[in-house]
Amino acid sequence: MIQLIRGFKDILPGEVEVWQYIESVARGLFEDFGFKEIRIPIMEKTELFARSIGEDTDIVEKEMYTFPDRKGDLITLRPEATASICRSYIQHKMYADDPVKKFYTIGPMFRRERPQKGRYRQFYQINAEIFGVASPLADVELIFLLKNLFSRLSTGDVEAHINSLGCPECRPVFKAALTEYISSRTDALCSDCVRRKDRNPLRVLDCKVPACREAMEDAPSIIDHLCPACAQHFDVVRASLDSLGVPFVVNKRLVRGLDYYTRTTFEIQTRSLGAQSAVAGGGRYDGLVKMLGGPDMPATGFAIGFDRLAEVAGLDNQDFIRKPDLYIAALDEESGAMAFEWLCALGTQGIQATMDFEGRSLKSQMKRAGRNEARFTLIVGEDERKKGLAILRNMKTREQVTVPLDNLVERMKPLIQY
Ligand code: HAM
């Protein structure tokens, strides 16, 4: 038997309903905050991700699904959406009329990570991006939106972590201090960290190896190295979150796994997912649009891990699974033909009916109606047809009424509609 690829998964009926609900709540909230949906391709030129996310990141170094197409051009299954949305914003000159644009997109991403709980090789993200707003209030709006979405989905035990990564002015000073600190600890670090320390020392702060985390415990904090403009930006973020009543913790280790960030970074973390604690992550990336060939344009955004959110949201699948309104137990061929017509007519009127096409006994059909958790069963056989009536049974109260076959669909509607 052919099985699915390791790290990939099916989202089956019974589970997918919660996903649909989350998606509808997220869409509603995005629309209320003025975000427009954008749909971007699943594949892009490899170069787009390599340049945006950074050559020295785990994603680009070892996790991308990259392959040559038939002409030999390197293409990559998208590991994230931000780079593509920037590419699209630039390509379609969406900055030309009004540079302020708010986008959201929902879809699958691909990273060849080691699969474990909460970590998949095809996973889904809910992304939001704001272009053209330099004000820290755009960062705050995103965190506020996340908080609202999570509480609408009854997601308990989540905490917002924030940090600032500075800008091209102040980051080099911090990097120098960090590199000096790392140099004094190289013996304790993993080989990846030693290799990256000169090219990308921030990655060392992000390393998950326990020995590295311990060695970096007293590393310098970027917040102490921010230039006045970045420090003020971060002050406004904190003050506005406070005044909106959004709780947060400042986490100086929060450097994120992608290189494009400037200033504010944030994650929504939870303890319910074991090692995979981030349900959402994001931040400001003021230099990316320019780096990809567009105008100098500030931007900020986030992505929620949909799979992780579906796991931690306080939602019960059972509440979202639609059961048939009606099971039609037709007891002979002629009744079956009538039942099928009713089923089709009811379906077009928003009433979900189901039936047995094999002409099984009444007993076995009633059992099936029970298994399907139909709210009502309509019984019709030769006897009923002769009388011109069918029997409608409420499966919960066991009450039965007769319904004339003539114009049956119209007569049934008020009886079974909520
Ligand atoms: P990220 O932190 O790489 O950021 O991913 C965002 C979220 O996607 C994570 O917090 C996590 O919940 C989920 N996620 C990531 N990898 C996996 C995986 N292998 N399995 C399951 N879930 C996963 C970004 O992707 C940025 N593009 C976010 C952003 C948007 N920054 C600015 N705008």
Side-chain angles (χ1 to χ4, degrees), residues 197-257:
K197 91 173 164 45
D198 295 319
R199 283 174 67 184
N200 202 341
L202 286 178
R203 288 276 75 76
V204 182
L205 280 174
D206 195 35
C207 183
K208 302 284 183 289
V209 175
C212 298
R213 293 193 79 87
E214 202 176 306
M216 297 301 290
E217 195 65 44
D218 299 321
S221 154
I222 181 134
I223 294 169
D224 301 330
H225 291 79
L226 295 178
C227 64
C230 287
Q232 208 226 344
H233 188 102
F234 198 49
D235 284 345
V236 176
V237 170
R238 282 183 291 195
S240 310
L241 287 173
D242 276 337
S243 70
L244 285 171
V246 179
F248 62 90
V249 290
V250 175
N251 177 349
K252 64 174 187 167
R253 302 182 73 104
L254 190 72
V255 293
R256 312 270 302 121

Side-chain angles (χ1 to χ4, degrees), residues 53 59 63 79-83 109-114 116 118-130 142 256-258 260-261 266-268 273 276-285 299-309:
I53 299 168
I59 298 178
E63 294 171 0
E80 60 114 46
T82 311
M109 309 293 155
F110 304 84
R111 295 183 194 173
R112 201 177 185 290
E113 296 189 76
R114 201 168 51 77
Q116 62 180 80
R119 197 205 272 154
Y120 310 98
R121 289 180 171 176
Q122 175 175 336
F123 59 99
Y124 293 77
Q125 282 188 343
I126 302 174
N127 275 259
E129 316 286 352
I130 303 178
L142 292 169
R256 312 270 302 121
L258 307 97
Y260 47 61
Y261 291 108
F266 52 88
E267 272 183 12
I268 307 295
L273 276 173
Q276 303 312 313
S277 57
V279 196
R284 185 163 276 285
Y285 48 97
T300 180
F302 67 68
I304 302 170
F306 203 149
D307 313 69
R308 295 184 189 175
L309 178 56

